[in-house]
Amino acid sequence: MDYIKSIRNVGIVANIDAGKTTTTEHILYKSGKIKKLGNVDDGTAKTDYLAVERERGISVVAAATSFNWKNCTINLIDTPGHIDFASEVERSLRILDGAILIISAPDGVTPHTNVLFDALQKMKIPTLIFVNKMDMLNFPVEYVVESIRENLTDKIIQIQKPIFENYEFKWAENILRNDVSDDLIDVLSKYDDELLQKYLNNEKIGMEYIDGRLIKLVENSLIYPILFGSAQKDIGIKELMDAIVKYLPSPKGDISKPLSGVIFKVQRDKAMGKLSYVRIYDGQIRIRDLVHNFSQDKDEKVTQIRKINASSYSDIGILKAGDIAAVCGLDGHIGDILGTPSSVPPEHHIANSLLAVKIKPKNDDDYYKLVEVLQILDEEDPLLNFRWIKELKELQINIMGTIQVEVIRRMIQERFSINVEFDKPGVIYKETPSKIGYGFVSYTMPKPCWAVVKLLIEPSERGSGLSVKSIVSADKILPRYQNDVLRTLPEALQQGLYGWEVTDLKVTLVDGEDHVMHTHPQDFVVATPMAIMDGLFNTGVKLLEPILYFKITVPEEYAGKVINDLTQMRGVFDKTTIVKKNAVIEGEVPLSTSMDYPINLSIATKGHSQMITRFIRYDTCPDGFIAKRERIGVNPLDRAKYILSIRGAI
């Protein structure tokens, strides 16, 4: 078997408490990778190797491991299920060739399951759906399948039938072992024209042919097989492992082609320093190779290549197309492309840091050490977006939720022996231009300098982000200087008039001027923030706030109070239904008004409530609302002071 055809790069994704880590543990045990089963509740699971993970019983970081099964090497990524750590899932999805989406049978499809499946669909990652915890199911399995069909996709096929004895789940029978049925052909032919044509022509269709077509459909993300099991009771695990090998595709890549890879995770090792987790799509890397970092345009020497298995590792001498390993000697960042970007898939974002929090050491003597620690953590998770306001000795990070605060506290204590404390988290707002306008700067004094920039600023549709372009001719501004402007704009727009990131706008370089004698290489880099801030001052800005989808379940008698509370919080209702004497209320609500509501609701209902939320978009704040954020550095609108600071005069 060819080397690359014997590899599977697979991620396990799910909502919290669906049983991801338990499933991973049983897979490793059944493959012979580990000799003794660990337990999430006991803190002994192989892939939950951080102390905070063992104590809390949740996965915090994505853990990479590998095992052999049926002559295949399976690189397995166990990802966190809690939405606070979705950034770890986001980075893992990019390097997968296949996925297992685990759904808890009693809980069904949750809002976070929807987010995960949406990402898998958009990235066209072939996926097996594993319905776990079948031993805890207390209603017909048809309801679970119908929930998947209604809430995720109708492109599903049951390849197993759950078997119950005396209402107890015993095993899952492979229904594809039987003769080919009209129902089976009917399901597959909806997505397979070749099969449909064969059926219409009354040609003989055997199970071997059906197997081949199903494998093709799964590989092209046209259908999603459903399997059933109970990881805790070791039911369905072997069948799931067989399905990984059979249905999920091997990587597409060529060892003989030029190097093409991506850094998807960064970690610090006490002995080896910086470890860059790399997925190779084409080519190969050997120890002592000089590798080109395309994103940073620099060459670096590889000193070590390690195959990682959760908290342990083994040294290997070569990393080939299709494989995943940790590389030492690289000073890259998450998302950096190695070699050529030709075979690297695009990113897909599912994680949104909606809260900012101030952090400080309990001991003032640890202040500068904490700065270094936060720079390291920011490198490992760029969504933390560490901000250091030196003038105020203030340290800030972005977070996705309050659970993350406690985890970061523990990680800093464990890894760096610093005790820290946090202020109450605050909402992260954004800014967007109120109207069309121009920004202009003539940076020609004090000499030596020469950069004239005119920008057109246009608001764009909500959620569109930032787009930049130039329509200036090369005889007015040399192309390399135009590139400086376009490259500097995203960074300059990280802080708008109120200190928040500016989004949902188009910026066009429409005019300007360089000087053959007086323009220096960095002049347009200096001028661009002044021009864009002048433009925002002219257009004015509107503040945007994060909006959440919510689903609240409470006893029916509390429905009136909840609806009144949500109205006070500027909530918008979608629908309200009554299910078994419980009111289920769905809709949208601003994060700023609802942050503390889950706790308050639980107290008011004596614990008989559930509130599930997920981020859906940023939208305009109410008229007259203002929220300012402390600016880092000098405001480019203060032209004289800004230029002096850039030149190091203050």
Side-chain angles (χ1 to χ4, degrees):
M1 185 182 289
D2 293 341
Y3 172 80
I4 201 164
K5 289 182 179 178
S6 67
I7 295 175
R8 303 290 185 274
N9 294 316
V10 180
I12 294 187
V13 298
N15 189 61
I16 190 170
D17 290 335
K20 289 179 301 62
T21 302
T22 302
T23 302
T24 302
E25 194 76 10
H26 279 264
I27 286 174
L28 295 177
Y29 179 71
K30 197 163 287 293
S31 71
K33 183 72 178 185
I34 58 176
K35 304 303 180 186
K36 182 181 178 181
L37 273 172
N39 186 285
V40 173
D41 295 331
D42 296 341
T44 55
K46 177 75 172 176
T47 52
D48 280 350
Y49 58 90
L50 298 177
V52 66
E53 293 179 307
R54 297 182 184 279
E55 289 175 12
R56 297 189 70 100
I58 61 171
S59 298
V60 170
V61 297
T65 186
S66 65
F67 63 93
N68 295 315
W69 188 251
K70 291 196 170 180
N71 298 318
C72 277
T73 297
I74 300 173
N75 296 314
L76 191 67
I77 310 289
D78 179 19
T79 65
H82 199 287
I83 195 168
D84 282 14
F85 310 103
S87 59
E88 287 282 322
V89 183
E90 176 180 291
R91 292 189 285 273
S92 299
L93 290 181
R94 190 180 188 186
I95 56 95
L96 300 178
D97 299 307
I100 302 164
L101 176 66
I102 299 183
I103 295 175
S104 166
D107 298 329
V109 175
T110 69
H112 191 48
T113 313
N114 273 294
V115 172
L116 293 169
F117 186 74
D118 182 60
L120 293 169
Q121 276 192 307
K122 287 180 178 176
M123 299 176 76
K124 295 186 176 179
I125 297 175
T127 302
L128 303 175
I129 299 174
F130 182 62
V131 180
N132 190 29
K133 300 188 178 182
M134 287 292 295
D135 58 308
M136 299 171 63
L137 193 66
N138 56 11
F139 47 82
V141 71
E142 287 77 13
Y143 288 121
V144 181
V145 176
E146 195 56 34
S147 172
I148 294 170
R149 193 185 308 278
E150 289 183 0
N151 296 295
L152 292 185
T153 178
D154 61 356
K155 298 178 180 180
I156 54 176
I157 180 170
Q158 276 185 246
I159 62 174
Q160 293 177 340
K161 177 185 177 182
I163 303 299
F164 293 84
E165 292 180 0
N166 298 322
Y167 302 102
E168 186 178 348
F169 176 62
K170 289 297 184 180
W171 76 89
E173 180 184 8
N174 183 357
I175 59 177
L176 296 187
R177 287 178 182 166
N178 305 324
D179 293 334
V180 178
S181 66
D182 287 344
D183 288 343
L184 180 59
I185 292 176
D186 183 54
V187 170
L188 293 180
S189 61
K190 290 178 183 177
Y191 316 106
D192 190 334
D193 291 340
E194 180 184 308
L195 174 60
L196 178 61
Q197 194 61 47
K198 201 175 183 74
Y199 179 68
L200 293 175
N201 292 338
N202 292 318
E203 296 180 44
K204 186 177 181 180
I205 299 173
M207 188 53 71
E208 186 177 345
Y209 177 80
I210 287 289
D211 259 351
R213 299 313 299 169
L214 179 55
I215 290 169
K216 200 71 179 174
L217 289 172
V218 174
E219 182 179 349
N220 292 318
S221 297
L222 293 174
I223 203 162
Y224 302 92
I226 299 180
L227 300 93
F228 301 90
S230 168
Q232 192 69 50
K233 295 197 171 182
D234 195 22
I235 302 174
I237 297 298
K238 177 185 176 297
E239 291 77 9
L240 176 61
M241 295 165 71
D242 290 344
I244 291 172
V245 173
K246 182 175 182 177
Y247 295 112
L248 297 183
S250 57
K252 294 177 175 67
D254 191 335
I255 296 173
S256 63
K257 284 186 176 181
L259 176 65
S260 183
V262 66
I263 298 174
F264 70 94
K265 181 180 175 72
V266 169
Q267 201 171 27
R268 292 280 175 174
D269 182 85
K270 290 181 180 179
M272 299 300 295
K274 191 173 186 178
L275 296 177
S276 299
Y277 286 69
V278 174
R279 161 72 197 268
I280 301 295
Y281 294 92
D282 284 321
Q284 57 187 352
I285 297 176
R286 295 178 182 272
I287 294 175
R288 292 183 290 278
D289 274 359
L290 205 60
V291 172
H292 182 66
N293 185 318
F294 176 85
S295 304
Q296 298 189 34
D297 193 22
K298 64 180 181 181
D299 295 327
E300 295 177 309
K301 190 174 183 180
V302 173
T303 58
Q304 198 82 29
I305 302 175
R306 290 180 162 185
K307 195 71 176 175
I308 303 294
N309 289 294
S311 59
S312 62
Y313 66 88
S314 56
D315 290 325
I316 55 177
I318 186 171
L319 178 58
K320 298 179 182 179
D323 212 346
I324 296 170
V327 177
C328 304
L330 306 181
D331 190 28
H333 304 123
I334 289 172
D336 279 2
I337 291 171
L338 304 180
T340 169
S342 59
S343 299
V344 178
E347 295 178 276
H348 179 79
H349 298 292
I350 64 171
N352 296 276
S353 295
L354 305 178
L355 300 171
V357 63
K358 295 177 184 177
I359 177 174
K360 58 186 177 183
K362 289 186 177 180
N363 185 341
D364 288 342
D365 293 339
D366 288 331
Y367 174 77
Y368 286 105
K369 186 179 177 182
L370 180 58
V371 170
E372 294 176 1
V373 166
L374 292 174
Q375 288 170 337
I376 291 172
L377 295 181
D378 187 69
E379 190 176 56
E380 295 177 357
D381 182 1
L383 283 184
L384 288 178
N385 193 24
F386 169 50
R387 292 163 51 89
W388 181 16
I389 306 173
K390 298 180 184 179
E391 300 84 356
L392 302 176
K393 292 192 74 173
E394 189 172 290
L395 310 174
Q396 298 178 4
I397 56 173
N398 292 354
I399 58 170
M400 298 186 66
T402 53
I403 297 287
Q404 194 179 1
V405 169
E406 181 56 30
V407 168
I408 290 171
R409 185 201 316 274
R410 288 301 316 276
M411 288 179 68
I412 292 175
Q413 186 180 41
E414 286 171 23
R415 290 176 57 184
F416 307 102
S417 302
I418 300 176
N419 292 316
V420 298
E421 53 191 12
F422 296 84
D423 286 355
K424 184 179 179 180
V427 172
I428 297 173
Y429 295 91
K430 294 188 179 184
E431 305 175 33
T432 194
S434 296
K435 60 183 180 181
I436 295 175
Y438 290 92
F440 177 79
V441 67
S442 177
Y443 177 46
T444 58
M445 294 289 289
K447 297 203 179 300
C449 62
W450 197 287
V452 179
V453 176
K454 186 176 183 180
L455 302 170
L456 170 64
I457 299 173
E458 302 172 274
S460 58
E461 63 186 31
R462 200 66 63 236
S464 61
L466 167 67
S467 64
V468 298
K469 67 177 182 178
S470 173
I471 59 172
V472 178
S473 62
D475 61 341
K476 284 197 167 186
I477 304 177
L478 290 175
R480 69 174 183 269
Y481 296 142
Q482 294 187 40
N483 288 336
D484 283 343
V485 174
L486 301 184
R487 179 173 50 82
T488 304
L489 279 169
E491 183 180 347
L493 287 166
Q494 289 301 304
Q495 300 184 97
L497 295 182
Y498 296 119
W500 306 101
E501 178 189 358
V502 187
T503 189
D504 299 345
L505 73 161
K506 300 175 183 176
V507 183
T508 306
L509 178 60
V510 294
D511 202 358
E513 182 184 289
D514 65 26
H515 194 286
V516 68
M517 295 287 292
H518 300 308
T519 298
H520 288 70
Q522 289 296 303
D523 285 353
F524 280 88
V525 174
V526 174
T528 300
M530 291 190 284
I532 193 66
M533 286 300 291
D534 176 70
L536 293 176
F537 182 80
N538 294 331
T539 65
V541 297
K542 294 183 287 189
L543 282 176
L544 304 176
E545 63 178 344
I547 304 296
L548 307 178
Y549 158 84
F550 70 82
K551 182 178 180 180
I552 295 175
T553 305
V554 292
E556 191 175 350
E557 61 266 27
Y558 290 98
K561 171 178 170 46
V562 170
I563 289 172
N564 182 63
D565 290 345
L566 289 166
T567 302
Q568 297 297 316
M569 293 186 286
R570 294 190 280 121
V572 177
F573 303 101
D574 181 18
K575 61 181 179 179
T576 301
T577 54
I578 304 299
V579 181
K580 296 179 180 179
K581 296 185 179 181
N582 282 329
V584 181
I585 306 165
E586 297 179 69
E588 299 175 5
V589 68
L591 172 62
S592 61
T593 61
S594 61
M595 263 199 300
D596 298 327
Y597 192 63
I599 295 174
N600 296 336
L601 180 63
S602 181
I603 294 171
T605 61
K606 298 180 175 62
H608 297 292
S609 65
Q610 182 186 51
M611 182 174 182
I612 299 171
T613 62
R614 75 169 185 269
F615 169 76
I616 48 175
R617 68 179 182 278
Y618 268 86
D619 215 337
T620 311
C621 289
D623 290 341
F625 177 81
I626 298 295
K628 293 185 178 181
R629 188 181 199 181
E630 196 72 39
R631 172 173 284 275
I632 295 177
V634 177
N635 193 329
L637 285 174
D638 189 344
R639 177 184 171 119
K641 189 175 180 182
Y642 169 75
I643 292 173
L644 288 174
S645 69
I646 290 294
R647 296 190 176 189
I650 57 173

